[in-house]
Amino acid sequence: MDLPVAILAGGLATRLRPISEKIPKSLVPVAGKPFLAHQLEMLYARGIRRAVLCIGYLGEKIQAEFGGEAFGVKLDYSLDGEKLLGTGGAIRRALPKLGPEFFTLYGDSYLPIPYAPVAEAFRRSGKLGLTVVYRNEGHYDTSNIVFRENEIVVYDKKVKLPEMRHIDYGLSLFKASVFEGYAAEQVFDLAEVMGRLVREKQLAGYEVLERFYEMGSPSGLKELDSLLTSQAK
C-alpha cells in the first residue's frame, strides 16, 4: 500500500502512570515487548510500509529503540518541540513527511482490520477525510458518532446525544489540505478537525464489525496483553 500512516505517539500517558513516568506509552511492554512493536507488525501485515511517528513526551527513547526501520516498516519522526501541539497540531507539523494523503492512527490503538479496503473507500468517496466507525453502543468507551445510512451525521466528543451508537475506531484518512489551513505550531486536536469536516460534509464513514483494542488505560492494557499473549502461544 502506498499510503503512509501518521502514528500519534506524543501524549503524556497520564492514565498509565507510574508505568509511563520514565518511558513513553509506545514503549510500555505488552505481551513481552514494546507496544509499538506489536503495532508495526500488525501494520506491516496489512500492507503498510511507511510510518511517521508524531512524538513528544520522551520521544527520543522511541527513536533510540526503533531507529529508521522496524518490522519491515520504514520509520520517520516528527517532534512536537518545546510544547505539545495536540493531535491535530502534531499532524500539521508532520505534513512535509506525510505527503498528499495518509492514514492517522493513535499511538495506543491496536486495530486488527484490513486497511486496503478503508483506503479504497476513502478514494471512492471523493471527500477530504474518512474515519472508521464501530457500533459501540457505549460499551468499550463513550459513543460519539451518529452514523446513519452510511453517513457520519454528528461527530462530537463533548456533547452526548442519545442517538449516538457509534464511536470513531481510531483509524482515519485525510488529504493534507485539511491541515494546511492551520498555522504552524498551532495547538489543536484532531477531534476539532473531524467535527469541522462533518459540518462541511467532507468526512466519509466506513463501518467495521470487529472491535478495537487500546492500551492507553490500565484495563485496556491488561486486556490487550492477555489477547496478544494468547495469540503468541
Side-chain angles (χ1 to χ4, degrees), residues 78-89:
S78 177
L79 284 69
D80 266 4
E82 294 183 0
K83 65 177 180 179
L84 296 179
L85 298 173
T87 49

Side-chain angles (χ1 to χ4, degrees), residues 166-180:
H166 291 74
I167 191 170
D168 57 306
Y169 193 71
L171 181 70
S172 299
L173 288 120
F174 297 100
K175 293 185 181 295
S177 59
V178 169
F179 299 89
E180 289 169 349

Side-chain angles (χ1 to χ4, degrees), residues 90-121:
I91 294 170
R92 169 68 177 83
R93 189 180 183 106
L95 288 183
K97 300 181 178 184
L98 288 168
E101 297 178 344
F102 49 86
F103 285 96
T104 64
L105 173 67
Y106 293 107
D108 58 5
S109 294
Y110 190 80
L111 310 177
I113 60 168
Y115 284 44
V118 182
E120 291 168 10

Side-chain angles (χ1 to χ4, degrees), residues 133 143-156 159-167 198:
V133 303
S143 298
N144 56 16
I145 287 174
V146 177
F147 187 66
R148 193 179 297 137
E149 297 179 355
N150 293 320
E151 291 285 336
I152 297 176
V153 182
V154 180
Y155 175 92
D156 201 313
V159 178
K160 307 306 175 187
L161 303 174
E163 58 266 42
M164 286 177 168
R165 299 284 184 265
H166 291 74
I167 191 170
V198 169

Side-chain angles (χ1 to χ4, degrees), residues 176-197:
S177 59
V178 169
F179 299 89
E180 289 169 349
Y182 293 88
E185 309 303 314
Q186 182 175 343
V187 178
F188 63 101
D189 285 328
L190 187 54
E192 173 191 327
V193 176
M194 292 168 67
R196 174 174 62 83
L197 290 180

